[in-house]
Amino acid sequence: MMKTRHIVTLLIVVSALSMIVGPINIFSDLSNNFFVLTEIRIPRTMLAALGGATLSMSGAVYQVVLQNRMADSFTLGMANGATLGAFFAISLGLPLVFISLFGITTGLLTLLIVLFIARRLDHKYTPATLIITGILLGSLFSGLLYIFILFQPDKTNHLLSFMFGSFGNANIYHCLIVGILFFSSLIYALKNARQLDFLLLGELRAHSLGVNVRRLRFMMLIALSLAPLALISFTGIIGLVGIIVPQVLQYFKPMKTRELLIKSALFGSIFLVTADTLGRVILMPYTVPTGIIVMLSSVPIIFILLYKRMIRMT
């Protein structure tokens, strides 16, 4: 496994390339293309880096507290809920701050609904029930998003960008909001890293070591949902990042929570910046939404991990 300073160096290199590469050669006429660099590519790259860090780090925490490798904002239904709320705010023509507020509010409301339904279905509150409930509720919200097309056909482009996830509309204010929420949640998660390590030993063992498992699970789910929901309200649904990055890291080297959170954030940034860059250049002059690139690259990796895990078990 690479050392942290090497990962940071790789992230800087990938981010620099992302700012340079694209349909427009900024070096051909730097004076006229300076706007493209400062107002489009730099905010886009920054938001992709913050987004990758946010989704991966949050996914790692979800998987610890729910003890399920498939847990993340996408499988818990929050991503679809946040997208629905953000699109509703855009349809009303509300300012930027309300878009993120609507996204965060509907995303958290979705999580609470998932927790309530899962509790009613299974008094033991098992993580598997949470995942199934989240996927079903997310599918319901996706259907509602499609219905918006019937009533607001002029908003179809906005809806498609939300359904597939894109950093095309990124700006410095998006980066500021997501950045503040990400670093706040990271600090909170690192502060509770020891309790999360105990939880990895099992609920009964963690309880015997003084961990209030139910409270820790609830607080972590809420705190680690804010940054991903704000991101999704700006970019649309970008799924599987929170699943694939922590799993790949744990496959190569099992690690404690603190190291997992930091490296998940760094590798998540590299992964999403790379995916966004590929989406801009692979079919130039057309741009493939980042969410599609992530899905196309993540699904084969998940199948490979599942296959390798089955081989180990036999």
Side-chain angles (χ1 to χ4, degrees):
M1 181 64 66
M2 297 173 62
K3 294 183 177 180
T4 302
R5 65 175 182 273
H6 296 151
I7 304 173
V8 172
T9 302
L10 179 60
L11 174 59
I12 293 172
V13 172
V14 169
S15 299
L17 289 174
S18 179
M19 295 177 192
I20 296 171
V21 175
I24 299 176
N25 183 1
I26 61 173
F27 296 110
S28 61
D29 189 355
L30 191 57
S31 59
N32 291 329
N33 292 332
F34 187 71
F35 174 84
V36 175
L37 177 64
T38 57
E39 299 298 322
I40 298 177
R41 291 192 183 172
I42 290 179
R44 180 168 185 154
T45 302
M46 287 178 61
L47 190 61
L50 286 168
T54 294
L55 295 173
S56 299
M57 188 266 293
S58 298
V61 173
Y62 295 151
Q63 289 166 31
V64 172
V65 299
L66 295 178
Q67 298 178 340
N68 191 306
R69 295 178 182 272
M70 298 303 293
D72 105 315
S73 59
F74 182 70
T75 55
L76 288 174
M78 291 184 289
N80 301 79
T83 302
L84 185 65
F87 182 75
F88 184 70
I90 291 174
S91 300
L92 295 176
L94 298 178
L96 172 65
V97 64
F98 287 101
I99 296 173
S100 60
L101 285 176
F102 268 63
I104 291 173
T105 302
T106 54
L108 289 176
L109 182 61
T110 302
L111 175 61
L112 293 176
I113 294 173
V114 168
L115 292 173
F116 175 77
I117 294 176
R119 180 65 174 175
R120 298 287 294 180
L121 293 174
D122 184 357
H123 291 294
K124 293 183 180 179
Y125 211 42
T126 57
T129 306
L130 282 172
I131 300 296
I132 294 171
T133 306
I135 292 174
L136 292 175
L137 196 61
S139 299
L140 174 64
F141 287 151
S142 293
L144 292 176
L145 274 173
Y146 280 114
I147 292 176
F148 272 112
I149 296 178
L150 300 177
F151 295 97
Q152 294 182 309
D154 57 315
K155 303 290 185 179
T156 300
N157 289 334
H158 284 296
L159 180 59
L160 290 176
S161 67
F162 270 99
M163 291 302 298
F164 297 123
S166 172
F167 293 98
N169 297 318
N171 61 50
I172 196 65
Y173 299 106
H174 294 163
C175 297
L176 185 62
I177 293 171
V178 174
I180 291 174
L181 292 174
F182 163 68
F183 285 108
S184 299
S185 61
L186 177 61
I187 292 171
Y188 182 75
L190 291 175
K191 183 179 178 181
N192 291 277
R194 187 172 179 81
Q195 292 191 67
L196 293 174
D197 284 333
F198 290 155
L199 190 56
L200 287 172
L201 302 175
E203 290 190 23
L204 292 177
R205 186 72 180 275
H207 183 74
S208 67
L209 293 171
V211 178
N212 187 332
V213 176
R214 180 172 294 183
R215 181 181 182 278
L216 177 67
R217 178 173 291 159
F218 180 79
M219 292 301 297
M220 281 294 169
L221 286 174
I222 297 297
L224 273 296
S225 296
L226 298 179
L229 293 177
L231 173 75
I232 291 166
S233 67
F234 298 137
T235 65
I237 299 175
I238 300 177
L240 302 181
V241 177
I243 297 175
I244 193 70
V245 174
Q247 282 202 45
V248 170
L249 289 176
Q250 292 281 55
Y251 176 79
F252 285 106
K253 178 192 173 184
M255 55 189 74
K256 291 186 177 181
T257 302
R258 180 178 293 273
E259 183 183 6
L260 177 63
L261 295 181
I262 294 173
K263 290 192 174 180
S264 291
L266 292 173
F267 275 110
S269 294
I270 294 170
F271 178 52
L272 210 50
V273 169
T274 302
D276 183 59
T277 306
L278 288 175
R280 285 189 283 120
V281 303
I282 196 170
L283 293 178
M284 283 195 299
Y286 302 103
T287 300
V288 181
T290 309
I292 292 180
I293 298 294
V294 170
M295 288 183 184
L296 292 175
S297 59
S298 297
V299 171
I301 297 174
I302 291 177
F303 278 125
I304 292 172
L305 289 175
L306 290 173
Y307 176 75
K308 294 287 188 181
R309 193 169 293 122
M310 290 180 64
I311 292 295
R312 286 183 174 182
M313 292 174 62
T314 57

